[in-house]
Amino acid sequence: MCGIIGVVGSSDTLETLLEGLARLEYRGYDSAGVALVRPGETWRARTAEGTESVKALREECDLAPLGFSSGIGHTRWATHGGPETMNAHPHLDCSGNIAIIHNGIIENHADLQEQLEARGHVFSSVTDSEVLAHLIEESRANGFELIEAVRRSLLVVRGAFAVAAMDATEPDVIVAARRISPLIVGTAPGVTYLASDIPAILDRATAFYAVSDDEIVRLAPEGFRAIDLEGVPVHLHPLAVDWDLETAEKGGHDDFMTKEINEQPDAIRTTLLDRRRRDGTITFDELRVSDEELRDVRRVVIVAAGTSHHAGLVAKYAIERWARVSVEVDIASEYRYRDPIVEIGTLVIGISQSGETIDTIQAIREAKRRGARVIAVTNIVDSSLARESDAVIYTRAGLEVSVASTKVFLAQVAALELLALRLAQLRDTVPASDVDAHFLGLNAVAEQVATVLTRRSSVEDVAKQLLGARDFFFLGRHVGFPTALEGALKLKELSYLHAEGYPAGELKHGPLALIEPGVVVVAVVTDPAMHEKMLSNLAEVKARGATVVAVATDDDESIAAIADYVLRVPATEPMFSPMVDVVPLQLFAYAMARGLGRNIDRPRNLAKTVTVE
Ligand code: AGP
């Protein structure tokens, strides 16, 4: 998730860009850059100093010539190509006149780059975004004005983008466009702005507009006009904005957790983007492990902590079911002390949102010391875990600020289930047609999650009824069990209430003794194969006075007879259900914590990243 900003008609262009980039800081980045454009001249500065990049960029810009009234700026969260200066945006075309900035992923960048290089274009980065500069260059060379050149370029692009382009031969114009990645336009008298989101231009623009998917906007000092990808004029949707800066950084929400819960559909979409070739092969560009090595894997060991451990538990079911490889999931802080067995063909997967959790890093160090190949699954490019592993798969959920992990859990499950399908392809353990069907099902999950998000108020109503409860059990079977663990963890860390996740079949082996009136049992009953057994578990707890909350599918007609409250979700393939079923549990934990007056983004005693053992 990168940050973009642009301005035309400004009397303090550079300050506008630098201040705006600093305002996008909470989106996370590892490099930054600006381009200033005036008739016949494009001036660019870029830095790659991690989170100090914007500060370093300001120093770079001390050398900037004066007198530019237009420019664009970018903070980069690397997804393709490391966080080096050469990969920082803006990217230029061959002439050096055209500058572009991009937030998103160009899925077909490799094919496009090959075609462009064959026509003589010279690339200077290893990013997917640079293809846009050269595509626009070609259309401009054919005599099209900038907005038409951008439109024609985007017709051949697949993927997600919020892109902005300038050309020194068409000064005082920026053309921007959006698909999936956010983009807004702002206006003030004689000045027009664009940005990834409102904080970047909150105190400069006086009116704000949302750009919708596949809309292209031409910005000039006197204002803007918009068209769709077919060239038909469209009107941008005005936004009523009366936020202060802190609220703006939360996307207008009360807290980062709400913002991040609402970003979950896009977190899944961007994690899955660009990961399946036209021939159906599942591919991870960034994964530096050969197909042969993956094919020869004999055992998988997953090490992680907290929510990442729960994603690992889901991965166990998927890898064993589809790839027929045995998987062991270990708590990272336990792994290194149990004299673990690592044989030839052992693959260790370290899962960590931050990539800095010391328990997980120490666990993969131990695994490497014993000769294992290690893959990191992490959300932070070039994090310690990524650097110390042999290979990496990035979840592309964007920066997650709230201590309670939400959107990254869904992105981790999506990435790990994709890896399970890749292993199945390599080991030929699932027919190609079934892999395709699973991939399509995985891509449908984003919409199913979006549907659940529209039901927030019904979850809040249930939480209001249960605010007095003090003891919670979360139950599930198969992948419903890690979902139950994750729901219990969310409730614990947000509301400080005692909650335990349990395999439903385990209840009668002890915990049933704890069930009495006042205890709340939250059960995941969405899997048809487990439904009957789950209902009998609920009958057991109901008979002992428990209050029952069930996560059930929309078409479940029997659950209402036994559950006191039902949280409805769309039916999905059982293996994908953790990504859908966890959402009402996240919303429930949030509502309980709000009802109890807890600090949502910064729960007591906890840190977003645990760097001490
Ligand atoms: C989850 O909501 C918690 N913040 C915590 O359990 C977290 O998942 C755990 O500390 C692991 O963090 P990591 O994914 O960054 O390694």
Side-chain angles (χ1 to χ4, degrees), residues 15 95 244 342 352 598:
E15 191 50 36
S95 74
D244 59 26
V342 174
S352 172
R598 309 300 190 208

Side-chain angles (χ1 to χ4, degrees), residues 265-342:
D266 279 348
I268 295 174
R269 288 190 193 103
T270 48
T271 296
L272 296 175
L273 267 181
D274 184 30
R275 281 177 162 163
R276 181 171 178 270
R277 294 206 195 105
R278 287 173 182 274
D279 66 3
T281 304
I282 287 165
T283 171
F284 296 94
D285 269 2
E286 70 273 29
L287 184 59
R288 298 287 175 269
V289 175
S290 70
D291 285 351
E292 291 65 39
E293 281 184 284
L294 285 179
R295 186 177 295 115
D296 296 343
V297 166
R298 291 284 165 270
R299 185 165 76 98
V300 174
V301 177
I302 295 175
V303 292
T307 290
S308 297
H309 174 248
H310 301 154
L313 290 171
V314 176
K316 170 183 171 70
Y317 289 97
I319 294 171
E320 291 188 344
R321 176 75 189 78
W322 290 331
R324 309 309 294 160
V325 175
S326 76
V327 179
E328 199 176 316
V329 185
D330 218 331
I331 292 283
S333 54
E334 288 297 310
Y335 178 77
R336 61 191 287 233
Y337 297 113
R338 62 177 181 80
D339 194 7
I341 296 168
V342 174

Side-chain angles (χ1 to χ4, degrees), residues 305-308 352-354 357 403-405 489-490 493 610:
T307 290
S308 297
S352 172
Q353 184 284 129
S354 61
T357 296
V403 167
S405 185
L489 177 61
K490 286 289 115 19
E493 66 178 328
V610 181

